Amino acid sequence: MTGSEGLIVAENVRKTYSDDGVPVEAVRGIDMVIREGEFTAIVGPSGSGKTTFLNLIAGLDSLTQGRVWLAGRALGEMSGRELSDFRRDNIGFVFQAYNLIPVLTAEENIEYIMLLQGRPREERHARVLEILEMVGMKGMENRLPGKLSGGQQQRVAVARAMAAKPAIVLADEPTANLDSTTSGELLDMMRDLNRTTGMTFVFSTHDRIVMERARRIVVMRDGMIAEDSRQPGGPPQ
Amino acid sequence: MTGKLLSLALRNVLRNRRRTIIAATAIGIGLAAMVFTDGLMIGMSDNLIDSVTDTWLGDAQIHREGFLTTYSPELLVDSAAEVLDRLDRDPRVVASAPRVLAQGTVSSAADLRSVILVGIDPERESRVSRIDDSIVGGEFLREEGGEGILLGSKVAADLEVGLGDRVVVTISQVESGIIYQDMIRVSGIVETGTAAVDESMSFVSAGKAQEMLGLPEDGFQEIAFTLSDRRLAEQADSNFWAGYSRGGNTALGWPDLMAQLDAVLAMSDFSTLIMAVILFGLVAFGIMNAIFMSIYERIFEFGVMKAIGTRAGRIVSLVVLEAAWLAIISIALGSLVGLAATWLVAQQGIDYTGIELSGATFREPVRPVLTLQQFIFYPLWVLLLTALVGLYPAVHAARIRPALAMRRSL
């Protein structure tokens, strides 16, 4: 495998944890290619290794074995600082518990990554307004996370993930804390964004609502890929 | 970014207001205690120095070289009249008084006491020392003087004499060594509260002392003087001293004249320093504890911040800035409490009157002294210390591995 085969290329990825001295193989030799524009769900029961795998392809955790390329760059060859900047510029994250910075307003949360990138104030403000409209949160920019519902917070989290126009958005159980209606609305919104912007989305989930909307479903079991299927209408392979 | 980081740090500090207030109060009390202690030590030190210099010593003195080690009465200040004239014209000098000093005895029908017989110029002396204010019976020597003798209160008590009684003063004349005796009427009793004066000094007019010792009219062993700025006395390397230390004379400020007191004061400065180290050490651990609590509470948040691309250095800056904000709030609180406590105690003072320390006696209640430095240096210490101790938790936060911090999520 080479890094140019896809947006994300995972080659023989393995991760072994030590749990009180007992080695636990969370991911056991996964090979996977995710191409640009995909809307992929990695599904599986708890403990199947999907979150660990997502951490590994995001460069949030170190590999025990194997290699990961993201946008053509080998993550294992980067220094901590390079990896940090690389994540900032190329990966958007959506978390299960929203994880917005509670003391920052919606606008400030969304512009945070652009601020780290050193983008000028006017550009940041324009992008925030644009993205808030895209996620249906226009007019809420000055609200603190505590003043928003769970669904609204997750929309802001999606907006934050997309604000810096990353190559890929990684979402771990983004609907776990939302009711089914809100989950459906959020997923529809993300799918629309995928269609209109061509941005790649990868989910780790066991929510049917996500699976119903995904165009590629990767089933993980015991740290390995058990099934990899594509829905009609996905991007060309 | 710096402005945003400052704002984010402040908001984080204010996020848990109760904890911030408790931590800031603890740190602030430490600072207030330091301000108060420093003020009290300055007040105590000033009080003792005032007591020593105002009572008798003066801010500085001029002697013939060697006099202070031998107390030989023949070691007279060289060109005393000229020196006095120069002191009178020197704008840094407020007043000066020449003194004749000699060992002698004073006896009564009841007893005999060894004393330092001091010949003074009453008019000049009243502007340098407080002997005239310390008369508890009788009157101070008159300008023309000559007839009376002032006895230290303890000397008078030991000799069992009172006002109007006659005592015999015995002294050895300088040139000839002939024993000179004179019967003099007690015209006043002096009680300064300083043992060195009350227990062993007796005063006559300078003319009388010169007559008894067989000294010329400008024969003095000591010239005491006061300075417009007493801090000059502590600057031993100032050329002021060289200007008066010539022709065989030596000019010394009070720290050299009262080396024991100076050492005690230096020791108290050292004690203050030790206390500062202890207090600031406690403050440091208080800050570290508060910051660590805040970090552990937000470990997940730091994981997220790192995940989305916040560099470790920026996390360090954020936590250190949070510590700095906590310090600023604490400084505001501590300075206010320190100012109020010091000011309030200074209104009444703490009564140590009569207690003697290294030859100096507290004459007035000790009043803590407020100085601008207390509100510049100590707060700066707190700020710097906070930033310094904030570094440890900051580095800890920056080293958090996002995957570990967010184990339950991405």
Side-chain angles (χ1 to χ4, degrees):
Chain A
M1 282 181 137
T2 65
S4 59
E5 286 179 39
L7 183 63
I8 297 175
V9 179
E11 182 189 67
N12 190 29
V13 168
R14 287 177 184 273
K15 180 68 185 179
T16 305
Y17 287 117
S18 174
D19 187 2
D20 282 339
V22 180
V24 177
E25 276 195 289
V27 176
R28 304 176 181 192
I30 290 181
D31 292 311
M32 187 192 285
V33 175
I34 295 170
R35 294 195 169 78
E36 205 171 331
E38 280 192 11
F39 200 77
T40 301
I42 300 172
V43 301
S46 291
S48 60
K50 54 187 189 300
T51 293
T52 304
F53 181 63
L54 219 56
N55 282 340
L56 294 171
I57 62 173
L60 295 179
D61 211 347
S62 57
L63 301 167
T64 305
Q65 193 182 322
R67 288 197 288 182
V68 172
W69 289 271
L70 204 156
R73 298 278 309 272
L75 300 187
E77 291 170 8
M78 292 184 205
S79 67
R81 188 185 168 114
E82 281 175 330
L83 198 55
S84 191
D85 289 353
F86 185 79
R87 280 200 304 265
R88 179 194 68 196
D89 297 336
N90 294 281
I91 308 173
F93 291 94
V94 180
F95 306 97
Q96 177 180 332
Y98 328 131
N99 295 123
L100 299 171
I101 299 172
V103 292
L104 299 182
T105 62
E107 176 173 1
E108 289 169 331
N109 265 290
I110 295 166
E111 73 167 358
Y112 180 77
I113 294 170
M114 291 187 283
L115 204 64
L116 294 178
Q117 290 174 324
R119 295 203 201 172
R121 185 189 173 89
E122 295 73 26
E123 185 190 333
R124 292 196 315 259
H125 186 64
R127 178 66 178 155
V128 167
L129 294 181
E130 179 192 4
I131 200 112
L132 275 172
E133 188 157 10
M134 285 167 79
V135 299
M137 290 289 288
K138 196 177 173 188
M140 305 273 198
E141 55 266 30
N142 292 322
R143 292 209 187 169
L144 289 169
K147 300 286 180 192
L148 297 171
S149 69
Q152 288 172 326
Q153 285 189 57
Q154 201 59 305
R155 280 171 184 265
V156 174
V158 171
R160 177 178 69 182
M162 297 184 61
K165 298 181 180 170
I168 187 165
V169 173
L170 300 178
D172 182 58
E173 305 279 10
T175 56
N177 291 336
L178 303 176
D179 61 61
S180 56
T181 310
T182 312
S183 296
E185 287 171 3
L186 185 79
L187 259 296
D188 287 342
M189 180 199 82
M190 291 166 95
R191 199 172 59 179
D192 286 346
L193 291 169
N194 168 252
R195 281 181 187 141
T196 54
T197 64
M199 199 172 281
T200 309
F201 283 79
V202 178
F203 298 88
S204 150
T205 186
H206 53 255
D207 187 347
R208 277 182 73 84
I209 294 168
V210 181
M211 290 185 239
E212 282 167 8
R213 286 159 176 81
R215 281 175 297 196
R216 179 183 176 189
I217 296 176
V218 177
V219 181
M220 281 188 69
R221 201 167 291 129
D222 299 328
M224 293 184 289
I225 295 175
E227 199 183 320
D228 189 346
S229 60
R230 292 172 193 277
Q231 308 297 315
Q237 303 303 301
Chain B
M1 185 68 199
T2 310
K4 285 279 180 187
L5 212 58
L6 271 169
S7 162
L8 178 58
L10 179 60
R11 290 189 219 180
N12 280 334
V13 167
L14 297 178
R15 194 192 287 192
N16 189 333
R17 291 187 186 205
R18 183 180 296 174
R19 187 177 58 211
T20 299
I21 288 169
I22 291 171
T25 304
I27 299 164
I29 286 172
L31 176 63
M34 207 50 242
V35 167
F36 180 80
T37 306
D38 187 64
L40 189 65
M41 294 315 276
I42 293 173
M44 206 175 268
S45 168
D46 285 355
N47 197 309
L48 286 172
I49 296 167
D50 279 348
S51 163
V52 165
T53 57
D54 294 357
T55 303
W56 174 243
L57 197 73
D59 293 331
Q61 293 178 351
I62 297 171
H63 303 93
R64 188 65 174 261
E65 210 168 300
F67 177 80
L68 287 175
T69 49
T70 61
Y71 286 92
S72 302
E74 66 271 20
L75 291 175
L76 302 174
V77 173
D78 183 60
S79 311
E82 191 190 311
V83 172
L84 280 167
D85 186 50
R86 279 184 60 207
L87 288 168
D88 287 344
R89 285 184 285 111
D90 194 323
R92 293 165 295 186
V93 176
V94 176
S96 57
R99 293 166 182 168
V100 178
L101 301 171
Q103 294 279 349
T105 59
V106 180
S107 57
S108 67
D111 210 341
L112 177 144
R113 280 284 172 272
S114 172
V115 296
I116 297 169
L117 186 71
V118 188
I120 56 173
D121 175 329
E123 194 270 331
R124 279 180 172 271
E125 192 61 51
S126 64
R127 286 189 279 131
V128 171
S129 72
R130 282 189 179 175
I131 298 301
D132 58 331
D133 296 331
S134 306
I135 301 292
V136 291
E139 58 180 11
F140 189 54
L141 297 171
R142 291 191 300 274
E143 186 102 12
E144 55 279 13
E147 297 85 12
I149 185 168
L150 306 177
L151 296 182
S153 57
K154 185 74 170 36
V155 176
D158 288 348
L159 295 175
E160 298 175 18
V161 293
L163 289 175
D165 291 340
R166 289 176 185 275
V167 290
V168 176
V169 179
T170 307
I171 207 159
S172 172
Q173 286 203 320
V174 170
E175 287 290 326
S176 59
I178 294 168
I179 301 297
Y180 183 102
Q181 279 196 322
D182 203 346
M183 187 173 280
I184 310 177
R185 184 180 55 83
V186 177
S187 61
I189 308 292
V190 176
E191 188 167 298
T192 60
T194 300
V197 176
D198 299 346
E199 290 177 8
S200 60
M201 283 192 184
S202 300
F203 304 87
V204 294
S205 69
K208 180 69 181 172
Q210 284 163 341
E211 177 199 322
M212 293 171 78
L213 286 164
L215 294 175
E217 204 173 297
D218 69 341
F220 299 101
Q221 284 87 3
E222 180 172 292
I223 296 174
F225 57 96
T226 53
L227 297 162
S228 53
D229 181 359
R230 196 167 60 195
R231 284 173 296 186
L232 180 60
E234 293 158 28
Q235 297 160 17
D237 53 350
S238 164
N239 59 11
F240 173 84
W241 305 103
Y244 287 98
S245 296
R246 54 189 188 197
N249 292 339
T250 306
L252 295 170
W254 72 262
D256 291 313
L257 296 166
M258 288 288 286
Q260 197 186 354
L261 177 65
D262 194 41
V264 166
L265 294 178
M267 216 165 70
S268 86
D269 283 348
F270 186 68
S271 306
T272 309
L273 182 71
I274 298 282
M275 189 174 158
V277 169
I278 293 169
L279 272 176
F280 281 114
L282 290 173
V283 164
F285 281 103
I287 295 164
M288 207 184 280
N289 181 47
I291 301 291
F292 260 122
M293 278 170 69
S294 164
I295 284 175
Y296 283 129
E297 199 177 84
R298 294 185 289 142
I299 205 107
F300 204 81
E301 195 175 304
F302 283 115
V304 172
M305 287 177 78
K306 285 200 77 177
I308 63 177
T310 310
R311 287 179 189 164
R314 202 147 269 164
I315 301 264
V316 169
S317 305
L318 177 67
V319 177
V320 169
L321 283 175
E322 286 178 21
W325 275 121
L326 178 63
I328 288 167
I329 296 167
S330 310
I331 286 167
L333 199 70
S335 298
L336 214 64
V337 173
L339 178 72
T342 310
W343 184 82
L344 277 173
V345 175
Q347 299 313 298
Q348 288 297 318
I350 300 171
D351 193 6
Y352 292 144
T353 315
I355 296 174
E356 192 174 330
L357 187 70
S358 297
T361 309
F362 291 105
R363 290 173 58 107
E364 308 279 344
V366 174
R367 297 176 199 281
V369 176
L370 286 165
T371 68
L372 194 59
Q373 289 181 338
Q374 289 158 353
F375 298 93
I376 295 174
F377 290 122
Y378 291 139
L380 263 178
W381 280 16
V382 171
L383 193 62
L384 288 174
L385 190 76
T386 306
L388 203 67
V389 299
L391 266 177
Y392 176 48
V395 169
H396 181 84
R399 282 183 165 175
I400 289 169
R401 286 168 58 194
L404 277 179
M406 303 184 297
R407 177 144 294 175
R408 282 175 301 166
S409 183
L410 182 65

